[in-house]
Amino acid sequence: MSGPQAPEPTLEGQADASAGSPDEDAAEGIQHSHRMLSFSDALLSIIATVMILPVTHTEISPEQEFDKSVQRLLATRIAVYLMTFLIVTVAWAAHTRLFQVVGKIDDTLALLNLACMMTITFLPFTFSLMVTFPEVPLGIFLFCMCVIAIGAVQALIVLYAFHFPHLLSPQIERSAHRGLYRQRVLGIIVRGPALCLAAAGFSLFFYPASYLLMAMVIVLPHVSKAAGWCRAQLVGPREPPAHSVEVFTFDLHEPLSKERVEAFSDGVYAIVATLLILDICEDNVPDAKDVKEKFQGSLVAALGESGPHFLAYFGSFATVGLLWFAHHSLFLHIRRATQPMGLLNTLSLAFVGGLPLAYQQTSAFTKQPRDELESVRISCAIIFLASIFQFAIWTTALLQEGETLQPSARFGGREHAFMFAKLALYPCASLLAFACTCVLSSFSTAIFHAMQIAVPFAFLLLRLLVRLALAGLRALRGLVGPVLARPAPGAADEAQSPLLPAPC
Amino acid sequence: MSGPQAPEPTLEGQADASAGSPDEDAAEGIQHSHRMLSFSDALLSIIATVMILPVTHTEISPEQEFDKSVQRLLATRIAVYLMTFLIVTVAWAAHTRLFQVVGKIDDTLALLNLACMMTITFLPFTFSLMVTFPEVPLGIFLFCMCVIAIGAVQALIVLYAFHFPHLLSPQIERSAHRGLYRQRVLGIIVRGPALCLAAAGFSLFFYPASYLLMAMVIVLPHVSKAAGWCRAQLVGPREPPAHSVEVFTFDLHEPLSKERVEAFSDGVYAIVATLLILDICEDNVPDAKDVKEKFQGSLVAALGESGPHFLAYFGSFATVGLLWFAHHSLFLHIRRATQPMGLLNTLSLAFVGGLPLAYQQTSAFTKQPRDELESVRISCAIIFLASIFQFAIWTTALLQEGETLQPSARFGGREHAFMFAKLALYPCASLLAFACTCVLSSFSTAIFHAMQIAVPFAFLLLRLLVRLALAGLRALRGLVGPVLARPAPGAADEAQSPLLPAPC
């Protein structure tokens, strides 16, 4: 990145040339939105993942049977977690689109954004209230109020930005149809909250209608989209309107900003990796009194008691870390993230957020051999789902590879096969572990965690082997000298080994 | 930022021109380190803040007296939190410096970095073990082992990067003294872990010596720095060595990368803001059975029970959000962050991390009027300390304003007075609240939280008033027309109102 002697202000170096020098902007009170957006991404990713905590903290004491009431409680909480994750992701996507329209911020917009964040952080609570008491209208009323408040703040942001057009993105600022843009953007933002207002009204005297309206909020855009697609297939595409070059399509077909998808994903991975150590720091520092009484003062024995927890932690961290690594490699080769890719990414992240549950499952049941295999299987399933959706992002990207991928990752590119191997690693490994639980009766959580820790090393070993094999292959072709020193990516080289991974 | 129709890959747009096109790099397996560094920052900021949780979860039941044992427990935990925060920050600073030397990454470096992160996440646990059992050598042994492991991984990263010089930062890659650089960088990285190795050895037979060595690790660099400064004052500055232009000073005097300071701070603010809602989501969703039995099925009554918690949450979020806002405004005007500014930032963040404690203090004691004023005072003190250190960053920056600040924020710049007001807001407000607790006997936590929520509005009102006053001032000067429409930052304008804030 920047040199160590004189770190350049890279952030402000990204300023559009048309927007004047960064210092001039700062003097006017106008600021680039980069840092505010990263902060919002961090907040939203944490909020999306937070609701896994009630799931992992569901207490199942060893003597208590895993009966129906516990099962129902657990199922409810998992449903709350998944739905919260999706709701917060939708709010995040709306936020992303909003700040593709609003290009710069000033103090007022920064404060309005904070107000918006505060309301969003409250969504999970109202939602879990709604699920815990489905027959009490208060839950859905509060939830609707939250959505309305978010919509109101976002509408305020849009109105403010259109009132000071230098805050808009340059494309819209220069457009002649600015008023038209404002109508469209406002219309899209207000649509959901308006339905929620009706739902809140109904909740006061006939609450089932509220649930119906809420369902409409979710289903309606997809139905209209599907209808449009069907009509296009039957009748042929509609004539674009007269000023089509100018009309800004602020809707769901637009690709999301790749930078923000990455920031949001990073936040989820980071919080998941650290939720694990959080539990360890809270629960596994032995009590001084306990050590004296139960372990005759031997700290080693007391720590040995929670040894499986540490093994489980390292195993889970290795898994989360390597999943992040695969995500990171994947997005290095992606040029832009389309809507289906964004959806698949959300699903993958939702299961990554479930990994602390996998950790808790596999570390809590270590004393009950009967449940041990069961919990390893659950872990395998969660890891499999998280990684298979990553793989699906990749295959979806390949469908439109010209638009979405860097040339080196496309079919026939240098990195294609290697990328494939990286993404296939975890689906295969988790399937293998699942198969082991069925075949080997002596399979245990300890072996499972050891496997988790071994995967990165296996990966590095694989790389080394591939590298050696490649070097051997090239030696056979009489290309040893120039390649081993430092491979220069020449056109001739590329043509000769189109499907082999890069050696470095 | 980027236009909505075609979001450009801004990340890769930052590539050095000398490093070839981004796609060419990706094809070679070399990647820009930007995203990996943001991920590391997010992880480390969460880890630094995590140890506040044992503090906030210290259970003090209403009937139990706040006796000596509880006080000692609380004091220990707060000390652990503060020390952990500092230790993790030191690890973060070392990581920042390391990746100022290593400019690009490949897969192996990414995995090594993950291993480094995993070891760092384990530091808080070993440290709290060390503090809970000071007389058992196991704690310090494990802690030293962690530090040694981190040092070993970092040394591996350096060796690997110097083995493939195209991974180094361009400045070092081109240097003729690369071997010399490697010696120096390795020497600095290995110094601490080597002392820790000795400490680990001592811990096996004479553990007090270990603590002495650990203290040396912390004190030594500062002593040598102070000695060097004294010598320079007495004898005059030493002659720079012959190849001084080339020698890369990989030491504590270098400014930190501003981008990474921002990312780390954002992480801390984000996790602090969400730790609050986390507690609410876990503890304040009423139980269905409780609602039926205790509140005769009235959900509103059950929620009213935890009403003060919600008020406290919104108050705390407003405070954290506005502190972030002040930090954001401050760093917009900072060009580079020097070492003292980094230290002050760390201290400010450490107290920001203490805000959940303030929240818990003020919301747990709402039922005991005797302790209420006490807990409000603690909150005020924490907020005051967090904000006064922010203010100190600003004054420190002013001491070297030519080097550290944008022109508009320096003495006499357009934004100077306004920046001053923004940063002075919270120190003044918290002092005011503290004074209120001493004077008004009817002051309560509810009033305190209402004050917290009111501060942003007061701030906006203040802005509006200043703006109106400015407009009035300009009207008097006969400048009404051009200024009200949209203020053009001309030189003439600036000369006339040098100390007044920008109107937008």
Side-chain angles (χ1 to χ4, degrees):
Chain A
M1 296 293 296
S2 53
Q5 297 279 9
E8 296 151 62
T10 43
L11 202 165
E12 279 155 4
Q14 292 172 14
D16 286 317
S18 63
S21 81
D23 192 59
E24 196 180 301
D25 270 352
E28 268 185 86
I30 302 168
Q31 305 141 14
H32 293 281
S33 53
H34 178 87
R35 193 181 160 195
M36 192 193 73
L37 295 182
S38 335
F39 182 64
S40 308
D41 286 342
L43 268 181
L44 291 177
S45 56
I46 298 176
I47 288 298
T49 328
V50 148
M51 291 309 286
I52 196 67
L53 279 179
V55 181
T56 58
H57 290 176
T58 307
E59 269 169 36
I60 307 162
S61 51
E63 62 273 15
Q64 187 188 352
E65 269 187 45
F66 197 68
D67 62 359
K68 282 234 170 125
S69 78
V70 175
Q71 273 182 8
R72 207 172 45 227
L73 183 67
L74 210 59
T76 314
R77 287 186 169 176
I78 290 175
V80 169
Y81 161 69
L82 284 177
M83 281 304 294
T84 311
F85 198 96
L86 290 182
I87 290 170
V88 175
T89 317
V90 168
W92 168 79
H95 189 265
T96 304
R97 281 169 208 298
L98 179 62
F99 280 93
Q100 282 175 345
V101 175
V102 181
K104 301 205 191 71
I105 58 166
D106 64 1
D107 283 356
T108 315
L109 278 189
L111 288 177
L112 281 175
N113 182 56
L114 281 177
C116 184
M117 287 298 127
M118 184 160 85
T119 330
I120 292 179
T121 58
F122 213 61
L123 268 183
F125 177 75
T126 55
F127 184 73
S128 59
L129 209 63
M130 190 169 114
V131 174
T132 325
F133 301 94
E135 75 291 352
V136 181
L138 184 69
I140 193 162
F141 182 76
L142 283 178
F143 183 80
C144 290
M145 279 301 154
C146 260
V147 175
I148 293 167
I150 294 168
V153 175
Q154 290 193 337
L156 259 180
I157 290 177
V158 170
L159 286 177
Y160 185 87
F162 273 91
H163 190 244
F164 297 100
H166 54 284
L167 295 173
L168 294 172
S169 79
Q171 193 203 356
I172 300 180
E173 189 189 346
R174 283 189 226 105
S175 159
H177 302 278
R178 219 191 283 150
L180 204 74
Y181 279 137
R182 195 175 66 167
Q183 295 306 326
R184 289 200 59 174
V185 173
L186 270 184
I188 291 167
I189 284 178
V190 168
R191 200 197 289 156
L195 278 175
C196 277
L197 188 65
F202 274 117
S203 75
L204 295 178
F205 52 93
F206 182 60
Y207 68 86
S210 311
Y211 287 104
L212 209 72
L213 274 171
M214 297 283 295
M216 264 177 68
V217 174
I218 297 164
V219 175
L220 215 60
H222 297 280
V223 168
S224 74
K225 201 169 150 187
W229 186 81
C230 289
R231 195 175 46 212
Q233 293 302 96
L234 289 174
V235 190
R238 244 197 305 177
E239 280 293 301
H243 49 280
S244 67
V245 188
E246 278 274 55
V247 167
F248 167 61
T249 52
F250 178 78
D251 65 17
L252 294 173
H253 306 281
E254 278 303 301
L256 291 163
S257 151
K258 183 193 157 199
E259 206 180 15
R260 293 202 63 189
V261 174
E262 288 182 349
F264 184 76
S265 312
D266 280 355
V268 172
Y269 282 105
I271 188 76
V272 168
T274 42
L275 277 181
L276 304 173
I277 196 67
L278 194 149
D279 275 351
I280 284 198
C281 281
E282 275 225 81
D283 306 335
N284 292 89
V285 178
D287 193 47
K289 223 192 292 170
D290 272 11
V291 171
K292 254 191 206 136
E293 286 164 12
K294 272 168 70 184
F295 301 100
Q296 291 84 42
S298 162
L299 186 58
V300 181
L303 282 181
E305 188 86 324
S306 45
H309 285 276
F310 299 128
L311 192 64
Y313 167 67
F314 285 118
S316 300
F317 191 97
T319 307
V320 176
L322 227 64
L323 282 174
W324 174 82
F325 174 72
H327 191 272
H328 170 247
S329 305
L330 177 60
F331 272 75
L332 269 181
H333 293 109
I334 285 179
R335 286 212 291 207
R336 53 198 297 183
T338 60
Q339 189 63 23
M341 284 158 74
L343 185 65
L344 288 171
N345 188 42
T346 303
L347 287 172
S348 168
L349 289 177
F351 286 105
V352 168
L355 278 174
L357 174 68
Y359 155 77
Q360 182 253 10
Q361 284 280 323
T362 42
S363 65
F365 287 120
T366 36
K367 298 233 180 67
Q368 294 152 279
R370 193 184 48 132
D371 295 324
E372 209 174 312
L373 289 183
E374 199 65 30
S375 67
V376 170
R377 273 181 211 143
I378 293 177
S379 299
C380 289
I382 293 178
I383 295 172
F384 177 76
L385 285 169
S387 54
I388 203 73
F389 278 115
Q390 274 190 349
F391 193 83
I393 300 174
W394 164 246
T395 44
T396 314
L398 279 177
L399 291 179
Q400 303 174 282
E401 57 173 12
E403 197 189 333
T404 55
L405 287 178
Q406 304 280 4
S408 62
R410 296 180 197 160
F411 276 116
R414 288 172 67 91
E415 291 277 317
H416 181 80
F418 193 52
M419 200 63 235
F420 185 88
K422 261 187 203 170
L423 288 169
L425 182 69
Y426 263 107
C428 295
S430 55
L431 276 184
L432 186 73
F434 196 93
C436 284
T437 59
C438 300
V439 179
L440 301 172
S441 59
S442 64
F443 197 82
S444 70
T445 48
I447 299 177
F448 177 66
H449 294 309
M451 268 179 80
Q452 283 188 309
I453 297 173
V455 169
F457 296 103
F459 175 75
L460 278 179
L461 201 73
L462 209 81
R463 273 183 76 79
L464 206 72
L465 285 179
V466 168
R467 216 169 172 178
L468 287 177
L470 266 181
L473 220 77
R474 286 197 180 136
L476 282 180
R477 285 186 192 164
L479 278 162
V480 195
V483 170
L484 269 190
R486 190 194 148 186
D493 196 58
E494 200 156 338
Q496 278 173 341
S497 59
L499 271 164
L500 294 171
C504 178
Chain B
M1 294 293 297
S2 53
Q5 296 279 8
E8 296 151 61
T10 44
L11 203 164
E12 279 155 5
Q14 292 171 14
D16 286 318
S18 64
S21 81
D23 192 59
E24 197 180 300
D25 270 352
E28 268 185 85
I30 302 168
Q31 304 141 15
H32 293 281
S33 53
H34 178 87
R35 193 181 159 194
M36 192 193 73
L37 296 182
S38 336
F39 182 64
S40 308
D41 286 342
L43 268 181
L44 291 177
S45 55
I46 298 176
I47 288 298
T49 328
V50 149
M51 291 309 286
I52 196 67
L53 280 179
V55 180
T56 58
H57 290 175
T58 307
E59 269 169 37
I60 307 162
S61 52
E63 62 272 15
Q64 187 188 352
E65 268 187 46
F66 197 68
D67 62 359
K68 282 235 169 122
S69 78
V70 175
Q71 273 181 8
R72 207 171 46 226
L73 184 67
L74 209 59
T76 314
R77 288 186 169 176
I78 291 175
V80 168
Y81 161 68
L82 284 177
M83 281 305 295
T84 311
F85 198 96
L86 290 182
I87 290 169
V88 175
T89 317
V90 168
W92 168 79
H95 189 265
T96 304
R97 281 168 207 298
L98 179 63
F99 280 93
Q100 281 176 345
V101 175
V102 181
K104 301 206 191 71
I105 58 166
D106 64 2
D107 283 356
T108 315
L109 278 189
L111 288 177
L112 281 175
N113 183 55
L114 281 176
C116 184
M117 287 298 126
M118 185 161 84
T119 331
I120 292 178
T121 58
F122 213 61
L123 268 183
F125 178 75
T126 55
F127 184 73
S128 59
L129 210 62
M130 190 168 113
V131 174
T132 324
F133 301 94
E135 74 291 352
V136 181
L138 184 69
I140 194 162
F141 182 77
L142 284 178
F143 184 79
C144 290
M145 279 301 154
C146 260
V147 175
I148 293 167
I150 295 168
V153 174
Q154 290 192 337
L156 259 180
I157 291 177
V158 170
L159 286 177
Y160 185 87
F162 273 91
H163 191 244
F164 297 101
H166 54 284
L167 295 173
L168 294 172
S169 80
Q171 193 203 357
I172 300 179
E173 189 189 345
R174 284 189 226 104
S175 159
H177 302 277
R178 218 191 283 149
L180 204 74
Y181 279 136
R182 196 175 65 166
Q183 295 306 326
R184 288 200 60 174
V185 173
L186 270 184
I188 291 167
I189 284 178
V190 168
R191 200 198 288 156
L195 279 175
C196 277
L197 187 64
F202 274 117
S203 75
L204 296 178
F205 51 94
F206 182 60
Y207 68 85
S210 311
Y211 286 104
L212 209 73
L213 274 171
M214 296 283 296
M216 264 177 67
V217 174
I218 297 164
V219 175
L220 215 60
H222 297 280
V223 168
S224 74
K225 201 169 150 188
W229 186 80
C230 289
R231 196 174 47 212
Q233 293 302 97
L234 289 174
V235 190
R238 244 196 307 177
E239 280 293 301
H243 48 279
S244 67
V245 188
E246 278 274 56
V247 167
F248 167 61
T249 52
F250 178 77
D251 66 17
L252 293 173
H253 307 281
E254 279 303 301
L256 291 163
S257 151
K258 182 192 157 198
E259 205 181 16
R260 293 203 62 188
V261 173
E262 288 182 348
F264 184 76
S265 312
D266 280 355
V268 172
Y269 282 105
I271 188 75
V272 168
T274 42
L275 277 182
L276 303 173
I277 196 67
L278 193 149
D279 274 351
I280 284 198
C281 281
E282 275 224 81
D283 305 335
N284 292 89
V285 178
D287 192 48
K289 222 192 292 169
D290 271 12
V291 170
K292 254 192 206 135
E293 286 165 12
K294 272 169 70 184
F295 300 99
Q296 290 85 41
S298 162
L299 186 59
V300 181
L303 282 181
E305 188 86 325
S306 45
H309 285 275
F310 299 127
L311 192 64
Y313 167 67
F314 285 118
S316 300
F317 191 97
T319 307
V320 176
L322 227 63
L323 282 174
W324 174 82
F325 174 71
H327 191 271
H328 170 246
S329 304
L330 177 59
F331 272 76
L332 270 181
H333 293 110
I334 285 180
R335 286 214 290 208
R336 53 199 296 183
T338 60
Q339 188 63 24
M341 283 158 73
L343 185 66
L344 288 171
N345 188 43
T346 303
L347 288 172
S348 169
L349 289 177
F351 286 105
V352 168
L355 277 173
L357 174 68
Y359 155 77
Q360 182 253 9
Q361 283 281 324
T362 42
S363 66
F365 287 119
T366 36
K367 297 233 180 67
Q368 295 152 278
R370 193 185 47 132
D371 295 323
E372 209 174 311
L373 289 183
E374 199 67 29
S375 67
V376 170
R377 274 182 210 141
I378 293 178
S379 300
C380 288
I382 293 178
I383 296 172
F384 178 76
L385 285 169
S387 54
I388 203 73
F389 278 115
Q390 275 190 349
F391 194 82
I393 300 174
W394 164 246
T395 44
T396 314
L398 279 177
L399 290 180
Q400 304 174 282
E401 57 173 13
E403 197 188 333
T404 55
L405 286 178
Q406 304 279 3
S408 62
R410 295 180 197 160
F411 276 116
R414 287 172 68 91
E415 290 277 316
H416 181 80
F418 193 52
M419 200 62 235
F420 185 89
K422 260 187 204 170
L423 288 170
L425 182 69
Y426 263 107
C428 295
S430 55
L431 277 183
L432 186 73
F434 196 93
C436 285
T437 59
C438 301
V439 178
L440 301 172
S441 59
S442 64
F443 197 82
S444 70
T445 49
I447 299 178
F448 176 66
H449 294 309
M451 269 179 80
Q452 284 188 310
I453 297 173
V455 168
F457 296 103
F459 175 75
L460 278 179
L461 201 73
L462 208 81
R463 273 184 76 79
L464 204 73
L465 285 179
V466 169
R467 216 169 172 178
L468 286 177
L470 266 181
L473 220 77
R474 286 196 180 138
L476 282 180
R477 285 185 192 164
L479 279 162
V480 195
V483 170
L484 270 189
R486 191 195 149 186
D493 196 58
E494 200 157 338
Q496 278 173 341
S497 60
L499 271 164
L500 293 171
C504 179

